[in-house]
Amino acid sequence: MLSGATALGRGAPAGGGATSPPPWPALREELQIHPTGANRDGSPAWHVCDPVRNLFFRIGWLEFEILLRWDMADAARIAQEIARDTTLAPDADDVARFQGFLEQHQLLRTVRRKPPMPAWRWLLNNYLFVRIPLVRPARLLEKLLPWVGWLYSRWFVALTVLAAGAGVLLAARQWDTVAANLRGAISWEGVLGFAGALIVSKLLHEMGHALMSTRHGVRVGHMGVALLVMWPMAYTDTGESWKLARSRHRLAIASAGICAELVLAAWSTLLWAFMPDGDLRNALFFLATTAWVLTLAVNASPFMRFDGYYMLTDALDFPGLHERAGQQAKRALRRWLLGFNDPSPETLTPGFRRFLIAFAFATWLYRLVLFIGIAVIVYHAFFKALGVFLFMVEMGVFVVRPVMAELRVWHARRDEIRPGRRIAAALLLALGAAVLLVPWHGGISAPGVIRAGVEQPVFSPYAARMAAMEASDGVAVAAGQSLVTLEAPGQSEEREKARVMSSAYARAARGAMGLEERPAAQQVLAEQQASRWDTERRARDAELLRLRLVAAHGGTMRDVDPLLQSGTWVAPSQLMAMVVDGRRWRVEALVPEHDRQRLAAGSRAVIIVKGRTRKLEGQVRAIDNSPVRRLPHLLLAQDHGGPIALNPTAQKKDLRPAEAWFRVTVEGEDDTPVDVVREVRAHFEGTRESLARRWINAATSVLIEQSGF
């Protein structure tokens, strides 16, 4: 039954004849009312509690006075009575609107019950967030609270602040170690370590809420696991904290989880800085990084109903912050775009109203990004066809449906729009249609690398010994100039042997006619052997001539191996130097398939070199017909600071991209030579197309590719 500061009416007499108004509804008997802190304008406030559903509703002075006179069963009489006994001046419509509020939230006995929801619809609405209660810890928390009372002392808070400052300072001085640990955590062991740290951190988080609630006399109904997009996470039921009259006590409960994680992060960071390398230090690192990052990036955000939202709500003492801010933002949006002059839903100061409007727009933008991210996660979490379906459901329910609901309001009130606003809206729609439908977009931007257009690697043709390096690093060389002289003792010996054998057989052929037995046959045989050995000698000479390495074109010697000395043996695979002509350059840019179809050989390209201010102009020389299986250079890999993600299933050294990229080769000349390989951004002018066509093609491609149809 209703209890608290006063008792409220239970019911009303039924109506009479056919023309009488409908029966006055009765309040539900189990409802309770509790006084709470004053509103922002200083007026008193109360909470109406629904213990069956564990819900509460905050009402003001007028609503409280209406509830006191509910048994009068007449809206006009209730309004007159309130106007006579108080300084309020309501009318019958105010009472009727409050009756509609009570009926909407099922606080009346005569409210029509909703039909049971089908199982498929319940699953569609609730699969993103499902709570599973596991324990009822109220008694255990009461016994545990005296043992942890020191955690709330001032001296411990001061020590924790000092530990946090010292730990962060020491970690900053060991930033190289921190970065190395983060890179080393990208492994199965690291994933397991972070998962374990996450479990510990979140359990302490929920324990912080539970202990603080118990400390302020709020019963913790249950604790358990919530499934957020099928991802398990702990939760604590602190729903009865609304009973606290002081907002700072509610703020303490809302912030207790974040404070618990920050305490864990502070002491873990400090201990990590002093611990020797080992498993314990690794565990502290996982605890510290998990607590710092997730607490500040997720839990502290006020744009979703996490701790940050309730902390901001209690700090402002403004319940229903998201809904009330959204109402102010919708009112402002309708006034700006359509000229509607709707009255404000509530009395607020101009400054606070502007804050609510800005907060609502920031919340909408944050949720748009978040819901798109959730839709992508859902898409990847299931098999292709179901993933596409759930992606469309997510976008429809959380993005399209709210927008369509607001547009329906605009359409229903279209007669209220002034002619000038209609013309402005039509012009705005026409401009939007032009931006989407007119094929003005022709630019293509692609990542790539630039290198010298002419490069001659200097290799030995076979295993040989260094005789002389005739050009040093950075020296300009001309075409045909000798670069390296090598020698091959084995080849020289074989050449000398062939020369000697050829000479010997030639002498034998000349003296064969003086033989007594078969002189002609002996001469022919000797001449054949002399010719064979002479051919081998010439072949050996040709092989030895290959050891004199010359420049095929003019350029500059680069990357000369400093370990090469006279007498050093080199292998055929060993790069000894490079001859580079940097005045001519070549860019290997990578474009997706859609952009490749819009490019043509011979088109103009503008190259922006990373680290340079002057642009380069070149021409497209070639466009690959098949995607690259290996990136042209590791500078493009995301793991090395580049823009292209690597395939997670392949080894990092393979540089295999995660998506299909096509190589576009651009060549040009410039007075400033290209001396090293650099990352660039290539800009092309392709076939023009509209944004709408581009988006439709991309969406259609994804649907066809991923649905499996």
Side-chain angles (χ1 to χ4, degrees):
M1 60 182 293
L2 285 168
S3 61
T6 182
L8 304 181
R10 301 293 180 266
T19 60
S20 62
W24 188 256
L27 294 169
R28 287 171 47 196
E29 295 182 355
E30 66 273 14
L31 298 181
Q32 302 172 0
I33 189 167
H34 300 270
T36 186
N39 293 316
R40 291 182 60 84
D41 58 1
S43 61
W46 289 263
H47 281 146
V48 176
C49 172
D50 181 355
V52 176
R53 295 180 294 164
N54 195 25
L55 296 177
F56 75 95
F57 305 88
R58 184 161 175 158
I59 62 174
W61 183 17
L62 174 60
E63 292 78 16
F64 178 73
E65 295 292 341
I66 294 175
L67 290 178
L68 287 178
R69 296 164 178 81
W70 193 258
D71 56 358
M72 297 179 67
D74 186 279
R77 287 183 57 199
I78 292 175
Q80 293 174 0
E81 190 79 13
I82 295 174
R84 187 191 66 187
D85 297 342
T86 68
T87 58
L88 299 172
D91 55 24
D93 291 338
D94 295 325
V95 179
R97 280 194 293 270
F98 183 56
Q99 178 183 344
F101 168 82
L102 296 174
E103 183 176 357
Q104 177 185 358
H105 294 284
Q106 304 180 38
L107 301 178
L108 301 176
R109 292 175 56 186
T110 58
V111 66
R112 186 177 63 182
R113 296 187 178 275
K114 295 182 179 180
M117 182 180 297
W120 66 269
R121 188 169 182 178
W122 181 92
L123 182 62
L124 194 63
N125 291 336
N126 294 276
Y127 81 97
L128 280 181
F129 187 78
V130 179
R131 295 205 309 181
I132 305 175
L134 296 179
V135 295
R136 300 186 179 276
R139 293 184 179 179
L140 178 62
L141 292 172
E142 291 177 357
K143 295 179 180 179
L144 182 61
L145 188 61
W147 294 89
V148 296
W150 55 274
L151 293 173
Y152 307 98
S153 61
R154 293 183 178 179
W155 62 266
F156 179 75
V157 174
L159 282 179
T160 301
V161 172
L162 291 176
V168 171
L169 179 61
L170 292 173
R173 298 185 65 179
Q174 305 179 56
W175 186 250
D176 292 342
T177 305
V178 174
N181 286 342
L182 287 174
R183 287 193 297 269
I186 306 177
S187 62
W188 284 113
E189 293 79 4
V191 171
L192 293 177
F194 278 119
L198 181 63
I199 292 174
V200 173
S201 177
K202 293 308 173 184
L203 288 178
L204 289 179
H205 178 105
E206 300 305 326
M207 186 59 69
H209 285 307
L211 289 172
M212 185 63 75
S213 299
T214 305
R215 190 167 186 261
H216 286 288
V218 175
R219 184 181 66 89
V220 177
H222 48 80
M223 301 174 69
V225 175
L227 299 179
L228 181 62
V229 197
M230 303 303 174
W231 181 265
M233 56 187 301
Y235 81 92
T236 300
D237 176 26
T238 59
E240 294 189 9
S241 60
W242 59 267
K243 294 180 179 179
L244 298 174
R246 296 185 178 181
S247 61
R248 64 185 184 91
H249 291 167
R250 298 194 297 272
L251 175 61
I253 295 175
S255 60
I258 290 180
C259 291
E261 287 196 78
L262 291 179
V263 169
L264 175 65
W267 288 104
S268 297
T269 304
L270 181 64
L271 293 175
W272 173 84
F274 292 101
M275 283 290 174
D277 291 336
D279 294 338
L280 180 57
R281 193 170 197 249
N282 292 336
L284 290 172
F285 177 81
F286 291 135
L287 288 174
T289 51
T290 302
W292 282 121
V293 173
L294 291 182
T295 297
L296 299 178
V298 178
N299 291 105
S301 171
F303 302 119
M304 294 296 291
R305 291 187 181 273
F306 295 130
D307 293 343
Y309 167 75
Y310 295 105
M311 291 169 60
L312 182 60
T313 298
D314 293 329
L316 298 174
D317 195 17
F318 199 72
L321 177 60
H322 280 165
E323 292 78 7
R324 296 164 75 177
Q327 292 175 358
Q328 295 292 333
K330 289 179 182 178
R331 173 178 173 270
L333 192 63
R334 294 168 184 173
R335 185 178 71 251
W336 296 338
L337 297 180
L338 306 176
F340 294 166
N341 193 22
D342 298 337
S344 176
E346 51 189 315
T347 303
L348 301 168
T349 62
F352 190 66
R353 181 178 291 110
R354 287 192 293 270
F355 163 76
L356 291 179
I357 293 172
F359 178 77
F361 281 114
T363 301
W364 291 345
L365 180 60
Y366 178 89
R367 289 187 174 186
L368 175 63
V369 176
L370 179 65
F371 289 147
I372 291 176
I374 291 177
V376 172
I377 292 175
V378 170
Y379 162 72
H380 287 288
F382 300 93
F383 60 89
K384 292 182 178 180
L386 181 58
V388 171
F389 171 73
L390 293 179
F391 177 87
M392 297 175 65
V393 168
E394 291 301 309
M395 297 301 297
V397 171
F398 295 107
V399 178
V400 177
R401 186 174 67 173
V403 174
M404 295 303 298
E406 182 63 18
L407 291 178
R408 282 194 294 270
V409 174
W410 294 5
H411 182 266
R413 300 180 59 182
R414 60 188 181 278
D415 295 336
E416 303 178 31
I417 304 175
R418 294 195 297 269
R421 294 281 182 171
R422 293 186 180 184
I423 295 175
L427 291 176
L428 185 62
L429 289 175
L431 179 61
V435 170
L436 292 176
L437 301 178
V438 173
W440 61 270
H441 179 69
I444 299 174
S445 178
V449 290
I450 188 171
R451 52 169 51 97
V454 179
E455 294 179 339
Q456 176 191 352
V458 180
F459 288 100
S460 173
Y462 47 85
R465 186 170 61 192
M466 172 71 68
M469 176 67 72
E470 301 180 23
S472 58
D473 198 359
V475 174
V477 295
Q481 180 178 336
S482 178
L483 304 175
V484 181
T485 300
L486 302 172
E487 56 185 14
Q491 290 285 352
S492 298
E493 292 175 359
E494 292 296 328
R495 181 189 63 176
E496 185 63 23
K497 175 183 176 180
R499 186 188 64 80
V500 171
M501 295 296 293
S502 175
S503 177
Y505 276 111
R507 290 194 302 269
R510 288 194 297 270
M513 296 305 296
L515 297 176
E516 297 180 357
E517 186 177 343
R518 302 175 60 190
Q522 292 294 334
Q523 182 182 9
V524 172
L525 179 61
E527 287 176 349
Q528 289 177 348
Q529 290 296 322
S531 176
R532 183 180 74 81
W533 285 105
D534 187 59
T535 301
E536 183 171 349
R537 177 191 62 79
R538 290 196 301 269
R540 299 293 181 180
D541 281 337
E543 286 294 303
L544 290 173
L545 285 175
R546 292 174 60 197
L547 296 181
R548 181 176 176 271
L549 308 179
V550 299
H553 48 76
T556 305
M557 286 285 286
R558 296 289 184 190
D559 302 329
V560 176
D561 191 342
L563 300 179
L564 293 179
Q565 302 293 334
S566 179
T568 304
W569 282 84
V570 293
S573 60
Q574 181 177 353
L575 179 64
M576 293 183 286
M578 293 279 292
V579 179
V580 177
D581 183 4
R583 292 170 299 178
R584 296 172 59 187
W585 49 264
R586 183 176 72 256
V587 167
E588 293 179 274
L590 299 179
V591 298
E593 182 177 9
H594 178 74
D595 289 336
R596 181 187 68 88
Q597 297 173 355
R598 298 167 53 210
L599 282 174
S603 59
R604 176 176 169 270
V606 176
I607 308 300
I608 300 176
V609 183
K610 189 174 182 180
R612 287 188 181 182
T613 57
R614 194 163 64 89
K615 300 178 181 178
L616 302 177
E617 293 189 5
Q619 198 173 31
V620 176
R621 296 299 184 188
I623 304 173
D624 288 0
N625 292 322
S626 57
V628 297
R629 299 185 60 83
R630 179 182 175 85
L631 296 181
H633 200 277
L634 57 82
L635 284 176
L636 297 176
Q638 204 170 66
D639 293 358
H640 296 274
I644 299 179
L646 297 178
N647 191 327
T649 62
Q651 296 184 9
K652 301 296 184 182
K653 64 179 182 180
D654 294 339
L655 296 180
R656 182 177 300 174
E659 300 177 356
W661 294 88
F662 294 78
R663 189 197 324 266
V664 178
T665 304
V666 181
E667 293 182 355
E669 295 185 7
D670 191 68
D671 295 336
T672 304
V674 176
D675 50 355
V676 295
V677 179
R678 292 177 180 269
E679 183 183 348
V680 301
R681 176 64 61 170
H683 297 274
F684 309 97
E685 187 65 28
T687 305
R688 295 181 179 272
E689 67 173 358
S690 65
L691 290 177
R693 180 179 178 182
R694 182 182 182 91
W695 295 343
I696 291 173
N697 289 343
T700 304
S701 175
V702 170
L703 288 175
I704 294 175
E705 177 183 358
Q706 300 299 331
S707 63
F709 297 146

